[in-house]
Amino acid sequence: MDVSVELFLENGYDKTTTRQILHRADILNGSLYNIYHGKEEIFADIISEALNDSVRESEKYLDDPTFLDKMGFPLILMIYISFRSQRLAELLAVAHSKWDIMLRILDIMMRWVEDNDVDGTIDTNSEECRVRMYMCLGAMGNILEAISRDPSPTSERNMIMTVIRMLLDVFELPTDDVEERVDMIYKAISDNDIVICGIHL
């Protein structure tokens, strides 16, 4: 996994091969293929681990978080790292473009919503809730693709505010103090040593 992360960061997703992974990890074909069928499965595990890491990191750095804080943290973190590394933006965009990986992301986010919606605002068992999450993640994929190609047309803060307002609109959540909450999440991310898949952001 560590070697794969290194290679994806160095070469990008398309230019990384399983042969390169095998060579750098100094393992045989059989050792890899007993666990994974190819690089997409490896990449899917890396993205899942990264999203789970971001969820755990939010618990460390948010004081008395609201539901919006917990929902917004992974999305704001994706934008934050994308504006700092076009390679990471590209990898996140690739993840959102692959159906099997998107399903994993969806499941992690749905569990995250269910675990944190203590007052039952959102019915996570409904098909409508899953469709709403699809909408948010689909939009995120397009945003990450845009950042990976050219982050200059918009500011990071405008992008973050747009994403959070979209999230609130899609889930029909209150928008009270949204700018203050976004600033708090952003400060938690920028002021702390957040580690995702072993990478210090």
Side-chain angles (χ1 to χ4, degrees), residues 36-168:
Y36 296 107
H37 291 104
K39 77 173 180 179
E40 185 169 328
E41 284 189 12
I42 298 169
F43 187 57
D45 270 3
I46 290 168
I47 292 297
S48 298
E49 183 180 333
L51 188 51
N52 281 316
D53 282 352
S54 75
V55 164
R56 283 189 292 274
E57 293 289 311
S58 73
E59 294 169 348
K60 292 183 200 173
Y61 299 119
L62 295 177
D63 295 326
D64 193 24
T66 65
F67 184 58
L68 168 61
D69 300 337
K70 291 183 174 188
M71 278 279 288
F73 188 95
L75 303 180
I76 291 173
L77 183 59
M78 282 187 230
I79 294 171
Y80 178 87
I81 64 177
S82 294
F83 267 88
R84 277 145 193 82
S85 166
Q86 259 186 299
R87 177 70 78 208
L88 286 171
E90 172 199 320
L91 291 171
L92 287 168
V94 168
H96 280 77
S97 73
K98 297 196 172 292
W99 182 246
D100 289 343
I101 299 175
M102 267 291 286
L103 289 177
R104 286 198 195 195
I105 295 170
L106 176 72
D107 288 342
I108 292 167
M109 290 300 292
M110 291 296 288
R111 277 195 306 275
W112 181 233
V113 170
E114 188 171 6
D115 290 347
N116 289 284
D117 184 19
V118 290
D119 61 358
T121 305
I122 297 173
D123 178 10
T124 53
N125 293 317
S126 72
E127 186 60 30
E128 182 182 343
C129 182
R130 286 184 72 82
V131 170
R132 290 179 186 208
M133 187 62 77
Y134 277 130
M135 290 168 62
C136 289
L137 295 176
M140 274 302 295
N142 289 330
I143 287 164
L144 295 166
E145 176 75 21
I147 296 170
S148 74
R149 292 176 183 272
D150 182 8
S152 60
T154 186
S155 74
E156 180 182 24
R157 179 167 171 75
N158 284 345
M159 189 70 82
I160 287 170
M161 286 305 303
T162 301
V163 166
I164 294 304
R165 288 189 189 284
M166 173 200 66
L167 176 74
L168 293 172

